[in-house]
Structures are given as C-alpha cells and as structure tokens.
Amino acid sequence: MEHVADPLPQAAFAKAVLELEVSNHAGVMSHICGLFARRAFNVEGILCMPIVGSDASRIWLLVFEDQRLEQMLLQLEKLIDVRSVRRHGAGHEVFERLEAFFH
Amino acid sequence: MLQMTGAELIVRLLERQGVRTIAGIPGGAILPLYDALSGSTTIRHVLARHEQGAGFMAQGMSRVSGRPEVCFASSGPGATNLVTAIADAKLDSIPMVAITGQVPLSMIGTDAFQEVDTYGLTIPITKHNFLVRSARDLLTVIPAAFRIAMSGRPGPVLVDVPKDVQNQLVAFEAYPEPAEREAPPPFDLTAIDAAARMINEAERPVLYLGGGVVHGGASQQAVTLAEQAGLPTTMTLMALGAMPIDHPLSIGMLGMHGARYTNFVLEEADLLICVGARFDDRAIGKAAQFCPNAKIIHIDIDSSEIHKIKRAHVGIQADVAAALEALLPRVKVQLRKRWLSHVAGLKTRFPLQMPGAEDPRSHYGLIHAVAAALDDEAIITTDVGQHQMWVAQAYPFRRPRQWLTSGGLGTMGFGMPAALGAALAEPERTVVCFSGDGSLQMNIQELATLAEEGLNVKIVLMNNNSLGLVYQQQSLFYGKRVFASRYGRPLDFVAIAEGFGMRGVDLDASENPRATLAEVLNEPGPCLIHASIDRENFVYPMVPPGGANTEMIGG
Ligand SMILES: Cc1ncc(C[n+]2csc(CCOP(=O)(O)OP(=O)(O)O)c2C)c(N)n1
C-alpha cells in the first residue's frame, strides 16, 4: 500500500516574512500564488503595493518556515517577473502593523 | 520611421530572429498574423492537423537545432490543444516560443467566442508567458520571449496576442536586435577546486549525465572528463548519446529500466558527479536508497535543482560546459584499474539481457535490425511505452541530439510529429520514429502533414494491439487484472498509411525483414513500417514503482 504523506503541520513552524520586488503588471500575482498553492505551501498573509515612483511593486508574504522554504525561495527567484527576494524573520513589523485591520 | 501592424511586426521580428519554419493552424483570432505571414518570403509555414502536432513539430525542430522554434495556434481550442506540447517542453527543458491568438482586448473576460484564459492556463507549464496589451509592447516582448526560452535552463515561452493588438498600427524608429542567449552566471572556482579534489581522491566515482549535458553542448567535455579521471559514466534517458554507448567507460542508462549492473555500480559508488541531471524518480528510484555511500557533486544551470532531491556536498550553479572546462585542468589522469575492472566484472555478471536480439521479428531484434540499416547520422524519435524503453535500452546512440524522446512528461503522441519537426530542421537526415499502436493513434492525423510535406520520416510501428506498458503493469502489479489495456479490434495500419497517401510496408509479410528494412529505410520519403510484437514481451529489468533501484525484477 502506498503511504500518502500527511500535510506538514505548519502551525508547529516558525514564521518568516518574505519581501519580493516584482514587475508591476497584471499577471505577477498569479505566477507567485500558483507556486505556493500547487505545493500546498500555506501563505498566511499577503500584501502588495506599487513602489512609489517606479515600475515595480513590492509584495510581502508571511509564510511558515517549513523545510521546503529554501526550495520555494529558489523557485521564486526563477520567476522572470520577480526581481529580488529577501527573507526576514517573523518579527518584521509589516504584518504586525496591519494586525489592527484583522480583528 | 517604420510603421506597420502588430501582426506584420511579429513576422518581421521572427524573420530577424532567424526563424525559418513555423508549424501551426489558423483560426479567427490569429488570422491577422496568418495574413502577415503569407507575405513572408523567408518563413515557411507547415500546416499541422492538430495544434498538439504543431507544438511537437516545433519541439522536434528545437530538439535537433538547440534553438527556440515556433508554433502558432488560434484562441480557445487552438490554445488548449497546444497545452500538452508546451507542458512537455517545460519538463524536458526544450526552448520553444508558442504564439497564440486571443480575442480582442476589449472582449477579454466576457466569455467571448473562443475565449479562454490562455495566460492563466499556461502559467504553470511555461518558463514564462506574456499577454500582449499593445502592438508597441511586441518590440520588447518578442525578443524577450526568445531570450528567455534559450537562456539559462531552456524552456517554452508563450505569447498570447489579442486580435486587435495584431491589427493595431505601431510606428517605431528601428527594429530591436534579435535576442541572444544571456551569458551564463559566473561560478565559484573554489567549488570547482573542491570538486576536483573529491574526484581525485575518490576510489569508486561515477559520472551521471543528464539532458542538461545535451542542451548545454557539453558532451565532448563530459567524455573528456570521464576519460581523464577514469570515470564509469551513466546517462539518463534524456542524455542518451552524450557518450557513445559503446565507449569503454559507458555503463548505459540508469534507473527503472536500466541494466542491473548499472544500478549496482551506482550502489557501490563513493562519489557521484551529477552533471545536468535532476535526480528524477524514474532515474534514481527511492531517493533515500540511491547511491547510499556516495558523496555528491551536482553541477546544473538551474540553482533550484541543486539540493532539491539529494543534498549535494558540492553544488555548482553553472553552465555545464563551462564548469567541465574549468574542472578538466584540475583533475588528475587516473586509470582506476581496480574500480574499472570491478565495474567490468559487474557488467559481465549482470548485463542487460536482450532475448531475441538476433531475430528481427522480435522487439529487440527489430531495433537492432533498424540500427544496422542506418548510420549515426539518422535521428531517432519514440513515442511512450514499452517500445520507448526497448529503444532506449537497445539502440546504439552515439551522438548528442540523435535521440528525441518525451522524458519528463512521457507523452504518447510525441514521436511522429516530433520526427516531422526533426526532418523539417534537418531534411538531409533520415528520421525514424519508433512508435506503439496506442501512441501512434494519439496524433495519427499528422500522417497527413507528413505525406503532404514528403519528409524523410520512417515510422517503425511496434504493434501489440494494446497499451503495452499498462498491460505490463497490470500483469505484474495488479494481480493480472487486465483492464482497459487491450484493443478489441486490430487496425490495418498499412492501409491507414496508404490512405494518408504514403507507403506502408508490413514487415510481418516480408520473407527477409532485414533486407526489407534496408531497402525501405534507405529510400527517401515517408513510410510506415508495421511489425507485430507479442504482447507478452515485457520491459525488463524493472524497478517496481516506489522501489529502490537495486530491487529490480526480471532481466
Ligand atoms: C497522453 C498519454 N496518455 C496516457 C499515458 C499512459 N501510458 C503510458 S504508456 C501507455 C501505453 C502505450 O501504448 P503503446 O503506445 O501502444 O506502446 P507500448 O507500450 O505498447 O509499446 C499509456 C496508456 C501516457 N503516457 N500519455
């Protein structure tokens, strides 16, 4: 009998905040969300705004630090529309400051 | 100042890019582009009978030329029919540019006639894709599509062009330069030093070559490395031909249908040098038990492949040819008599068994007889199934790009249109497609294209009147509950070939199959050669699904 892997209990993992700089056009979000969705890699939070005075947008992602995160970062970097990827600790203030809007 | 429509601009940019042949099928949303193409004096259009066929023709051209080749399809069903060929190109890292028509911009999102979200559909199966929103954007999008398709790890790029954008006028100063391959990333020479040291110190090293060696034009460097350092060398399905199969250091294909000795040699390795391969499950079996005692050096142009399945001790993101060039002067000349004689001993004890190889009416014998009638200039394609694995095991591949097969996606229906593409790209060669009766029926309509183009393509149909590989799996792993894998009625494939307007030859009826093959294969033009194969012939050895490579059955 084949063993079906249980989904990783993500709540047990620490969180990380990813900061992406991407080309600002309509399809970018689909490319990025698709990468995570297909691997059932849960994205807890997502925030996207154009960067003032440029043709780029910044995307903030709140994700779990499971063992696949390294591979996810490499896959993100491969996307043509993703110009840079930075990884921050869970303590990054961007999502903390937003929390007031989610009560 | 130049002024033209978006459609004309696409055609001019394709011409300037050096595209000479495009396969496709027109339809309402791409008619402006076809109208512009009709005015081209340098690009020839090949009218496929199904868009999947057009996609595989473009792939066949790319797989032999190494350059991105182009296919066209209309919106809606035209685009959805292309999807399989694009996904296939993605999994085998084949550079290709697919251009699709789309409903006018103003109608996108209205469920207009033949509207489908081609951009959304193709996100996960392309290296990159574009929905073009103005004719001016074509000036950057078309060169970018080619640059992306051929740079780094190659792959398919889709450009979706709404009909009104094709008709829109655009004025511009000058054409953009044709795209070129981007320079590969610089790599870490200290890692090369470390790799060289590991190779010099290893006692039982094995070189493991993947399709990246073929794509990267690194076969010669890989063979030189093997010879210099005395490395037994295995190839994945995608890398066959990178080292001639009869080279003394070749240990053949690894994995699910590799020879027993090949998998045993890997089991004993203390160092695995993986070049342009990706530890695919069909190649390595159960990952945790693959090369259990080996340190790993992994060289690949795609950094996300390194450490993905197996943690590498030294990982080098680099163009494989450049990395091998850098490695060569650092690697000691070694004869490795002990290890190589041990490998030779394993080969004698556990060779690839090819029962019936002397009989041209048996599966292995037929493949050998075809090879004997051809030289190394011929190109060989296959479909997917038992016949594909038998050809991979038995055909003497001796040069890169001699062998075209759908490895990653394993798409039945690949072989014949890919053979057409190969013949379009290199018409002076003989192209032979080994197919199964199941696979051939997946794109059988392209026989019409083949006959019309009169290309030098021979189809060797290994007919077991069943979906052989499925029949094998049910027989071996599903308690012989054979279901939905045998056809109820035999087809007359010779009559079918003739009906499409090409020669059909029944090898079963030949007194002397070798002589018939030699005659038919060396006569120019298309031909279908039919040979019956006993359904009870299975592909052996075989690693059972989910098993480790050393747990092979049969053979
Ligand atoms: C498009 C597609 N559908 C289904 C499969 C699953 N499949 C793999 S091999 C096979 C049978 C192939 O039969 P045939 O082409 O006659 O070759 P044989 O195995 O008999 O040599 C099937 C159905 C596939 N690989 N591709």
Side-chain angles (χ1 to χ4, degrees), chain A residues 25-28 30-31 38 71 74-75 78 80-81, chain B residues 119 123 127-129 133 148 153 302-304 306 308:
Chain A
H25 73 80
V28 180
S30 312
H31 276 106
R38 195 160 80 82
Q71 174 66 202
L74 292 168
Q75 294 292 345
K78 271 190 356 183
I80 308 289
D81 285 327
Chain B
Y119 181 88
I123 285 175
K127 185 173 175 192
H128 193 56
N129 58 359
R133 291 180 189 274
I148 292 165
R153 179 179 185 167
D302 180 351
S303 66
S304 72
I306 298 167
K308 184 181 83 175

Side-chain angles (χ1 to χ4, degrees), chain B residues 50-361:
Chain B
H50 184 295
E51 288 82 356
Q52 188 184 118
F56 283 137
M57 286 176 212
Q59 267 212 43
M61 294 192 277
S62 296
R63 285 179 191 242
V64 299
S65 73
R67 291 196 320 251
E69 303 283 358
V70 179
C71 55
F72 280 0
S74 196
S75 67
T80 54
N81 275 352
L82 261 190
V83 161
T84 302
I86 297 173
D88 190 276
K90 175 82 178 333
L91 278 169
D92 284 348
S93 305
I94 305 302
M96 172 166 116
V97 174
I99 300 181
T100 47
Q102 181 56 276
V103 302
L105 275 176
S106 58
M107 295 174 76
I108 289 182
T110 65
D111 291 339
F113 177 64
Q114 295 193 329
E115 181 190 356
V116 78
D117 179 5
T118 305
Y119 181 88
L121 271 177
T122 54
I123 285 175
I125 56 162
T126 51
K127 185 173 175 192
H128 193 56
N129 58 359
F130 297 92
L131 171 54
V132 183
R133 291 180 189 274
S134 84
R136 173 160 304 281
D137 289 351
L138 291 164
L139 292 164
T140 51
V141 166
I142 298 292
F146 281 88
R147 179 172 43 72
I148 292 165
M150 65 178 139
S151 298
R153 179 179 185 167
V157 176
L158 179 129
V159 184
D160 197 28
V161 192
K163 190 173 185 182
D164 49 349
V165 173
Q166 296 172 45
N167 283 325
Q168 189 181 25
L169 276 177
V170 52
F172 55 98
E173 287 295 334
Y175 289 108
E177 286 303 307
E180 286 177 28
R181 184 171 289 141
E182 274 171 16
F187 52 91
D188 179 8
L189 282 176
T190 57
I192 295 281
D193 283 330
R197 223 174 307 119
M198 286 164 76
I199 296 171
N200 292 336
E201 286 165 10
E203 290 189 357
R204 297 181 307 281
V206 175
L207 183 59
Y208 157 37
L209 305 179
V213 173
V214 175
H215 300 322
S219 306
Q220 198 203 323
Q221 291 88 334
V223 172
T224 308
L225 174 68
E227 289 170 349
Q228 195 168 314
L231 306 173
T233 301
T234 185
M235 287 165 277
T236 65
L237 182 74
M238 295 307 294
L240 293 178
M243 174 184 268
I245 202 67
D246 30 21
H247 190 287
L249 287 166
S250 167
I251 57 169
M253 180 174 76
L254 77 163
M256 182 175 267
H257 296 297
R260 280 178 175 262
Y261 82 93
T262 311
N263 288 332
F264 289 152
V265 170
L266 284 157
E267 172 82 2
E268 291 188 28
D270 68 350
L271 176 68
L272 185 68
I273 307 139
C274 170
V275 185
R278 58 182 175 86
F279 296 90
D280 175 73
D281 49 281
R282 294 292 153 118
I284 73 164
K286 203 182 260 174
Q289 288 173 40
F290 178 65
C291 293
N293 307 313
K295 292 202 167 130
I296 294 175
I297 298 168
H298 192 174
I299 307 174
D300 201 288
I301 189 72
D302 180 351
S303 66
S304 72
E305 289 300 345
I306 298 167
H307 312 310
K308 184 181 83 175
I309 305 285
K310 291 286 268 187
R311 184 111 215 131
H313 299 77
V314 175
I316 304 170
Q317 184 200 4
D319 172 70
V320 289
L324 291 175
E325 296 274 1
L327 204 49
L328 283 172
R330 294 168 165 84
V331 165
K332 280 199 297 210
V333 174
Q334 298 204 43
L335 295 178
R336 288 199 209 275
K337 280 204 181 128
R338 258 181 66 186
W339 174 226
L340 289 177
S341 70
H342 182 66
V343 169
L346 286 171
K347 181 171 181 177
T348 316
R349 276 162 60 209
F350 308 105
L352 187 67
Q353 313 250 354
M354 289 192 259
E358 296 308 312
D359 174 9
R361 295 188 200 278

